[in-house]
PDB file of all heavy atoms in Angstrom:
ATOM      1  N   THR A 336     -22.137  79.269 102.085  1.00 98.00           N
ATOM      2  CA  THR A 336     -23.192  78.534 101.332  1.00 98.00           C
ATOM      3  C   THR A 336     -23.559  77.263 102.085  1.00 98.00           C
ATOM      4  O   THR A 336     -24.130  76.347 101.451  1.00 98.00           O
ATOM      5  CB  THR A 336     -22.634  78.189  99.872  1.00 98.00           C
ATOM      6  OG1 THR A 336     -21.388  77.547 100.003  1.00 98.00           O
ATOM      7  CG2 THR A 336     -22.561  79.471  99.035  1.00 98.00           C
ATOM      8  N   TRP A 339     -20.640  73.386 105.735  1.00 98.00           N
ATOM      9  CA  TRP A 339     -19.238  73.263 105.585  1.00 98.00           C
ATOM     10  C   TRP A 339     -18.514  74.678 105.502  1.00 98.00           C
ATOM     11  O   TRP A 339     -17.480  74.817 106.054  1.00 98.00           O
ATOM     12  CB  TRP A 339     -18.835  72.385 104.418  1.00 98.00           C
ATOM     13  CG  TRP A 339     -19.398  71.026 104.539  1.00 98.00           C
ATOM     14  CD1 TRP A 339     -20.339  70.373 103.777  1.00 98.00           C
ATOM     15  CD2 TRP A 339     -19.036  70.016 105.631  1.00 98.00           C
ATOM     16  NE1 TRP A 339     -20.574  69.105 104.273  1.00 98.00           N
ATOM     17  CE2 TRP A 339     -19.816  68.846 105.406  1.00 98.00           C
ATOM     18  CE3 TRP A 339     -18.168  70.078 106.744  1.00 98.00           C
ATOM     19  CZ2 TRP A 339     -19.731  67.781 106.209  1.00 98.00           C
ATOM     20  CZ3 TRP A 339     -18.103  68.949 107.534  1.00 98.00           C
ATOM     21  CH2 TRP A 339     -18.851  67.873 107.361  1.00 98.00           C
ATOM     22  N   ILE A 384     -14.462  79.564  98.816  1.00 98.00           N
ATOM     23  CA  ILE A 384     -15.722  79.129  98.399  1.00 98.00           C
ATOM     24  C   ILE A 384     -15.790  77.599  98.761  1.00 98.00           C
ATOM     25  O   ILE A 384     -14.818  76.838  98.770  1.00 98.00           O
ATOM     26  CB  ILE A 384     -16.038  79.286  96.947  1.00 98.00           C
ATOM     27  CG1 ILE A 384     -15.143  78.561  96.016  1.00 98.00           C
ATOM     28  CG2 ILE A 384     -16.183  80.779  96.697  1.00 98.00           C
ATOM     29  CD1 ILE A 384     -15.650  78.568  94.585  1.00 98.00           C
ATOM     30  N   THR A 385     -17.030  77.117  98.892  1.00 98.00           N
ATOM     31  CA  THR A 385     -17.275  75.658  98.952  1.00 98.00           C
ATOM     32  C   THR A 385     -17.996  75.402  97.541  1.00 98.00           C
ATOM     33  O   THR A 385     -19.136  75.785  97.352  1.00 98.00           O
ATOM     34  CB  THR A 385     -18.325  75.383 100.026  1.00 98.00           C
ATOM     35  OG1 THR A 385     -17.866  75.852 101.350  1.00 98.00           O
ATOM     36  CG2 THR A 385     -18.373  73.813 100.223  1.00 98.00           C
ATOM     37  N   SER A 386     -17.244  74.755  96.686  1.00 98.00           N
ATOM     38  CA  SER A 386     -17.704  74.858  95.271  1.00 98.00           C
ATOM     39  C   SER A 386     -18.991  73.977  95.064  1.00 98.00           C
ATOM     40  O   SER A 386     -19.815  74.223  94.232  1.00 98.00           O
ATOM     41  CB  SER A 386     -16.620  74.254  94.334  1.00 98.00           C
ATOM     42  OG  SER A 386     -16.193  72.976  94.769  1.00 98.00           O
ATOM     43  N   ASN A 387     -19.122  72.929  95.892  1.00 98.00           N
ATOM     44  CA  ASN A 387     -20.392  72.101  95.752  1.00 98.00           C
ATOM     45  C   ASN A 387     -20.838  71.875  97.227  1.00 98.00           C
ATOM     46  O   ASN A 387     -20.102  71.457  98.081  1.00 98.00           O
ATOM     47  CB  ASN A 387     -20.091  70.796  95.068  1.00 98.00           C
ATOM     48  CG  ASN A 387     -21.385  69.910  94.989  1.00 98.00           C
ATOM     49  OD1 ASN A 387     -22.215  70.218  94.019  1.00 98.00           O
ATOM     50  ND2 ASN A 387     -21.591  69.071  95.832  1.00 98.00           N
ATOM     51  N   ASN A 388     -22.141  72.208  97.464  1.00 98.00           N
ATOM     52  CA  ASN A 388     -22.581  72.068  98.867  1.00 98.00           C
ATOM     53  C   ASN A 388     -23.442  70.766  99.088  1.00 98.00           C
ATOM     54  O   ASN A 388     -24.599  70.652  98.672  1.00 98.00           O
ATOM     55  CB  ASN A 388     -23.428  73.325  99.199  1.00 98.00           C
ATOM     56  CG  ASN A 388     -22.493  74.498  99.164  1.00 98.00           C
ATOM     57  OD1 ASN A 388     -21.789  74.825 100.144  1.00 98.00           O
ATOM     58  ND2 ASN A 388     -22.464  75.212  98.060  1.00 98.00           N
ATOM     59  N   THR A 389     -22.720  69.847  99.597  1.00 98.00           N
ATOM     60  CA  THR A 389     -23.092  68.447  99.766  1.00 98.00           C
ATOM     61  C   THR A 389     -24.423  68.230 100.305  1.00 98.00           C
ATOM     62  O   THR A 389     -25.250  67.423  99.955  1.00 98.00           O
ATOM     63  CB  THR A 389     -22.023  67.762 100.603  1.00 98.00           C
ATOM     64  OG1 THR A 389     -20.776  68.251 100.249  1.00 98.00           O
ATOM     65  CG2 THR A 389     -21.993  66.215 100.336  1.00 98.00           C
ATOM     66  N   ILE A 390     -24.710  69.087 101.354  1.00 97.00           N
ATOM     67  CA  ILE A 390     -26.026  68.922 102.206  1.00 97.00           C
ATOM     68  C   ILE A 390     -27.206  69.457 101.446  1.00 97.00           C
ATOM     69  O   ILE A 390     -28.265  68.876 101.464  1.00 97.00           O
ATOM     70  CB  ILE A 390     -25.805  69.548 103.502  1.00 97.00           C
ATOM     71  CG1 ILE A 390     -24.687  68.848 104.393  1.00 97.00           C
ATOM     72  CG2 ILE A 390     -27.088  69.602 104.329  1.00 97.00           C
ATOM     73  CD1 ILE A 390     -24.358  69.501 105.688  1.00 97.00           C
ATOM     74  N   GLY A 392     -27.253  70.637  98.102  1.00 98.00           N
ATOM     75  CA  GLY A 392     -27.322  70.306  96.667  1.00 98.00           C
ATOM     76  C   GLY A 392     -27.183  71.494  95.720  1.00 98.00           C
ATOM     77  O   GLY A 392     -27.833  71.577  94.629  1.00 98.00           O
ATOM     78  N   THR A 393     -26.333  72.514  96.084  1.00 98.00           N
ATOM     79  CA  THR A 393     -26.046  73.583  95.249  1.00 98.00           C
ATOM     80  C   THR A 393     -24.593  73.622  94.843  1.00 98.00           C
ATOM     81  O   THR A 393     -23.736  73.084  95.476  1.00 98.00           O
ATOM     82  CB  THR A 393     -26.228  74.949  95.963  1.00 98.00           C
ATOM     83  OG1 THR A 393     -25.257  75.026  97.099  1.00 98.00           O
ATOM     84  CG2 THR A 393     -27.690  75.167  96.438  1.00 98.00           C
ATOM     85  N   LYS A 394     -24.350  74.191  93.644  1.00 98.00           N
ATOM     86  CA  LYS A 394     -22.943  74.374  93.250  1.00 98.00           C
ATOM     87  C   LYS A 394     -22.627  75.740  92.655  1.00 98.00           C
ATOM     88  O   LYS A 394     -23.512  76.338  91.946  1.00 98.00           O
ATOM     89  CB  LYS A 394     -22.494  73.177  92.451  1.00 98.00           C
ATOM     90  CG  LYS A 394     -22.798  73.382  90.969  1.00 98.00           C
ATOM     91  CD  LYS A 394     -21.955  72.374  90.146  1.00 98.00           C
ATOM     92  CE  LYS A 394     -22.490  72.271  88.743  1.00 98.00           C
ATOM     93  NZ  LYS A 394     -21.622  72.581  87.737  1.00 98.00           N
ATOM     94  N   PHE A 395     -21.478  76.203  92.684  1.00 98.00           N
ATOM     95  CA  PHE A 395     -21.059  77.447  92.058  1.00 98.00           C
ATOM     96  C   PHE A 395     -20.803  76.997  90.453  1.00 98.00           C
ATOM     97  O   PHE A 395     -20.089  76.195  90.193  1.00 98.00           O
ATOM     98  CB  PHE A 395     -19.624  77.857  92.506  1.00 98.00           C
ATOM     99  CG  PHE A 395     -19.786  78.683  93.765  1.00 98.00           C
ATOM    100  CD1 PHE A 395     -19.860  78.086  95.036  1.00 98.00           C
ATOM    101  CD2 PHE A 395     -19.834  80.063  93.749  1.00 98.00           C
ATOM    102  CE1 PHE A 395     -20.008  78.832  96.176  1.00 98.00           C
ATOM    103  CE2 PHE A 395     -19.848  80.825  94.935  1.00 98.00           C
ATOM    104  CZ  PHE A 395     -19.959  80.254  96.159  1.00 98.00           C
ATOM    105  N   ASP A 409     -13.133  74.435  98.547  1.00 98.00           N
ATOM    106  CA  ASP A 409     -13.363  73.112  99.130  1.00 98.00           C
ATOM    107  C   ASP A 409     -14.248  72.359  98.109  1.00 98.00           C
ATOM    108  O   ASP A 409     -15.374  72.627  97.854  1.00 98.00           O
ATOM    109  CB  ASP A 409     -14.179  73.323 100.344  1.00 98.00           C
ATOM    110  CG  ASP A 409     -14.692  71.929 101.037  1.00 98.00           C
ATOM    111  OD1 ASP A 409     -14.278  70.910 100.404  1.00 98.00           O
ATOM    112  OD2 ASP A 409     -15.196  72.001 102.113  1.00 98.00           O
ATOM    113  N   MET A 410     -13.551  71.473  97.385  1.00 98.00           N
ATOM    114  CA  MET A 410     -14.177  70.608  96.332  1.00 98.00           C
ATOM    115  C   MET A 410     -14.536  69.224  96.749  1.00 98.00           C
ATOM    116  O   MET A 410     -14.543  68.319  95.896  1.00 98.00           O
ATOM    117  CB  MET A 410     -13.267  70.591  95.078  1.00 98.00           C
ATOM    118  CG  MET A 410     -13.306  71.716  94.189  1.00 98.00           C
ATOM    119  SD  MET A 410     -12.607  71.447  92.582  1.00 98.00           S
ATOM    120  CE  MET A 410     -12.388  73.125  92.067  1.00 98.00           C
ATOM    121  N   SER A 411     -14.651  69.009  98.018  1.00 98.00           N
ATOM    122  CA  SER A 411     -14.811  67.656  98.602  1.00 98.00           C
ATOM    123  C   SER A 411     -15.882  66.893  97.839  1.00 98.00           C
ATOM    124  O   SER A 411     -15.697  65.724  97.585  1.00 98.00           O
ATOM    125  CB  SER A 411     -15.154  67.702 100.053  1.00 98.00           C
ATOM    126  OG  SER A 411     -14.102  68.206 100.830  1.00 98.00           O
ATOM    127  N   SER A 412     -16.975  67.477  97.464  1.00 98.00           N
ATOM    128  CA  SER A 412     -18.056  66.699  96.931  1.00 98.00           C
ATOM    129  C   SER A 412     -18.170  66.883  95.407  1.00 98.00           C
ATOM    130  O   SER A 412     -19.169  66.305  94.814  1.00 98.00           O
ATOM    131  CB  SER A 412     -19.397  66.954  97.654  1.00 98.00           C
ATOM    132  OG  SER A 412     -19.603  68.298  97.723  1.00 98.00           O
ATOM    133  N   ASN A 413     -17.284  67.672  94.771  1.00 98.00           N
ATOM    134  CA  ASN A 413     -17.447  67.668  93.308  1.00 98.00           C
ATOM    135  C   ASN A 413     -16.156  67.529  92.526  1.00 98.00           C
ATOM    136  O   ASN A 413     -16.049  67.642  91.327  1.00 98.00           O
ATOM    137  CB  ASN A 413     -18.333  68.793  92.798  1.00 98.00           C
ATOM    138  CG  ASN A 413     -17.630  70.145  92.959  1.00 98.00           C
ATOM    139  OD1 ASN A 413     -16.786  70.397  93.853  1.00 98.00           O
ATOM    140  ND2 ASN A 413     -17.995  71.060  92.069  1.00 98.00           N
ATOM    141  N   ILE A 414     -15.016  67.305  93.206  1.00 98.00           N
ATOM    142  CA  ILE A 414     -13.724  67.148  92.531  1.00 98.00           C
ATOM    143  C   ILE A 414     -13.869  65.964  91.625  1.00 98.00           C
ATOM    144  O   ILE A 414     -14.614  64.997  91.897  1.00 98.00           O
ATOM    145  CB  ILE A 414     -12.634  66.936  93.567  1.00 98.00           C
ATOM    146  CG1 ILE A 414     -11.236  67.103  92.744  1.00 98.00           C
ATOM    147  CG2 ILE A 414     -12.715  65.599  94.244  1.00 98.00           C
ATOM    148  CD1 ILE A 414     -10.077  67.363  93.755  1.00 98.00           C
ATOM    149  N   GLU A 417     -16.486  67.203  87.092  1.00 98.00           N
ATOM    150  CA  GLU A 417     -16.590  68.049  85.847  1.00 98.00           C
ATOM    151  C   GLU A 417     -15.213  68.766  85.644  1.00 98.00           C
ATOM    152  O   GLU A 417     -14.416  68.782  86.545  1.00 98.00           O
ATOM    153  CB  GLU A 417     -17.682  69.046  86.033  1.00 98.00           C
ATOM    154  CG  GLU A 417     -17.525  69.973  87.222  1.00 98.00           C
ATOM    155  CD  GLU A 417     -18.745  70.931  87.320  1.00 98.00           C
ATOM    156  OE1 GLU A 417     -18.984  71.735  86.402  1.00 98.00           O
ATOM    157  OE2 GLU A 417     -19.349  70.936  88.344  1.00 98.00           O
ATOM    158  N   ASP A 529     -28.626  76.790  90.273  1.00 98.00           N
ATOM    159  CA  ASP A 529     -27.553  76.449  91.144  1.00 98.00           C
ATOM    160  C   ASP A 529     -27.488  74.934  91.506  1.00 98.00           C
ATOM    161  O   ASP A 529     -26.790  74.525  92.370  1.00 98.00           O
ATOM    162  CB  ASP A 529     -27.693  77.301  92.474  1.00 98.00           C
ATOM    163  CG  ASP A 529     -27.640  78.683  92.144  1.00 98.00           C
ATOM    164  OD1 ASP A 529     -26.858  79.242  91.320  1.00 98.00           O
ATOM    165  OD2 ASP A 529     -28.417  79.441  92.868  1.00 98.00           O
ATOM    166  N   ARG A 530     -28.154  74.140  90.650  1.00 98.00           N
ATOM    167  CA  ARG A 530     -28.342  72.720  91.016  1.00 98.00           C
ATOM    168  C   ARG A 530     -26.912  72.001  90.857  1.00 98.00           C
ATOM    169  O   ARG A 530     -26.253  72.117  89.934  1.00 98.00           O
ATOM    170  CB  ARG A 530     -29.290  72.118  90.105  1.00 98.00           C
ATOM    171  CG  ARG A 530     -30.687  72.465  90.426  1.00 98.00           C
ATOM    172  CD  ARG A 530     -31.659  71.981  89.243  1.00 98.00           C
ATOM    173  NE  ARG A 530     -33.075  71.897  89.731  1.00 98.00           N
ATOM    174  CZ  ARG A 530     -34.066  71.539  88.986  1.00 98.00           C
ATOM    175  NH1 ARG A 530     -33.892  71.360  87.625  1.00 98.00           N
ATOM    176  NH2 ARG A 530     -35.251  71.515  89.442  1.00 98.00           N
ATOM    177  N   SER A 531     -26.743  71.119  91.832  1.00 98.00           N
ATOM    178  CA  SER A 531     -25.575  70.314  91.817  1.00 98.00           C
ATOM    179  C   SER A 531     -25.749  69.117  90.970  1.00 98.00           C
ATOM    180  O   SER A 531     -26.808  68.604  90.679  1.00 98.00           O
ATOM    181  CB  SER A 531     -25.336  69.784  93.293  1.00 98.00           C
ATOM    182  OG  SER A 531     -24.483  68.764  93.340  1.00 98.00           O
ATOM    183  N   LEU A 532     -24.584  68.662  90.355  1.00 98.00           N
ATOM    184  CA  LEU A 532     -24.686  67.443  89.607  1.00 98.00           C
ATOM    185  C   LEU A 532     -24.514  66.195  90.564  1.00 98.00           C
ATOM    186  O   LEU A 532     -24.670  65.074  90.102  1.00 98.00           O
ATOM    187  CB  LEU A 532     -23.498  67.346  88.612  1.00 98.00           C
ATOM    188  CG  LEU A 532     -23.504  68.339  87.385  1.00 98.00           C
ATOM    189  CD1 LEU A 532     -22.291  68.189  86.499  1.00 98.00           C
ATOM    190  CD2 LEU A 532     -24.723  68.113  86.551  1.00 98.00           C
ATOM    191  N   MET A 533     -24.066  66.441  91.719  1.00 98.00           N
ATOM    192  CA  MET A 533     -23.667  65.333  92.572  1.00 98.00           C
ATOM    193  C   MET A 533     -24.637  64.997  93.732  1.00 98.00           C
ATOM    194  O   MET A 533     -24.862  63.813  94.048  1.00 98.00           O
ATOM    195  CB  MET A 533     -22.301  65.658  93.270  1.00 98.00           C
ATOM    196  CG  MET A 533     -21.182  65.883  92.327  1.00 98.00           C
ATOM    197  SD  MET A 533     -20.530  64.301  91.679  1.00 98.00           S
ATOM    198  CE  MET A 533     -21.301  64.132  90.126  1.00 98.00           C
ATOM    199  N   ASN A 534     -25.197  66.004  94.247  1.00 98.00           N
ATOM    200  CA  ASN A 534     -26.140  65.820  95.444  1.00 98.00           C
ATOM    201  C   ASN A 534     -27.566  66.459  95.120  1.00 98.00           C
ATOM    202  O   ASN A 534     -27.702  67.646  94.868  1.00 98.00           O
ATOM    203  CB  ASN A 534     -25.712  66.472  96.690  1.00 98.00           C
ATOM    204  CG  ASN A 534     -24.212  66.057  96.898  1.00 98.00           C
ATOM    205  OD1 ASN A 534     -23.269  66.918  96.557  1.00 98.00           O
ATOM    206  ND2 ASN A 534     -23.883  64.954  97.413  1.00 98.00           N
ATOM    207  N   TYR A 574     -22.473  60.352  92.779  1.00 98.00           N
ATOM    208  CA  TYR A 574     -21.140  60.663  92.557  1.00 98.00           C
ATOM    209  C   TYR A 574     -20.742  59.828  91.264  1.00 98.00           C
ATOM    210  O   TYR A 574     -21.527  59.044  90.714  1.00 98.00           O
ATOM    211  CB  TYR A 574     -20.266  60.341  93.683  1.00 98.00           C
ATOM    212  CG  TYR A 574     -20.511  61.197  94.863  1.00 98.00           C
ATOM    213  CD1 TYR A 574     -21.096  60.699  95.984  1.00 98.00           C
ATOM    214  CD2 TYR A 574     -20.321  62.569  94.803  1.00 98.00           C
ATOM    215  CE1 TYR A 574     -21.328  61.433  97.094  1.00 98.00           C
ATOM    216  CE2 TYR A 574     -20.598  63.363  96.010  1.00 98.00           C
ATOM    217  CZ  TYR A 574     -21.075  62.844  97.115  1.00 98.00           C
ATOM    218  OH  TYR A 574     -21.337  63.536  98.224  1.00 98.00           O
TER     219      TYR A 574
END
Side-chain angles (χ1 to χ4, degrees):
T336 52
W339 297 117
I384 60 168
T385 312
S386 58
N387 183 80
N388 295 279
T389 325
I390 295 173
T393 61
K394 81 162 168 123
F395 279 82
D409 177 357
M410 277 194 198
S411 292
S412 52
N413 71 331
I414 193 164
E417 59 183 304
D529 301 323
R530 285 168 161 178
S531 165
L532 291 177
M533 298 282 97
N534 313 97
Y574 297 113

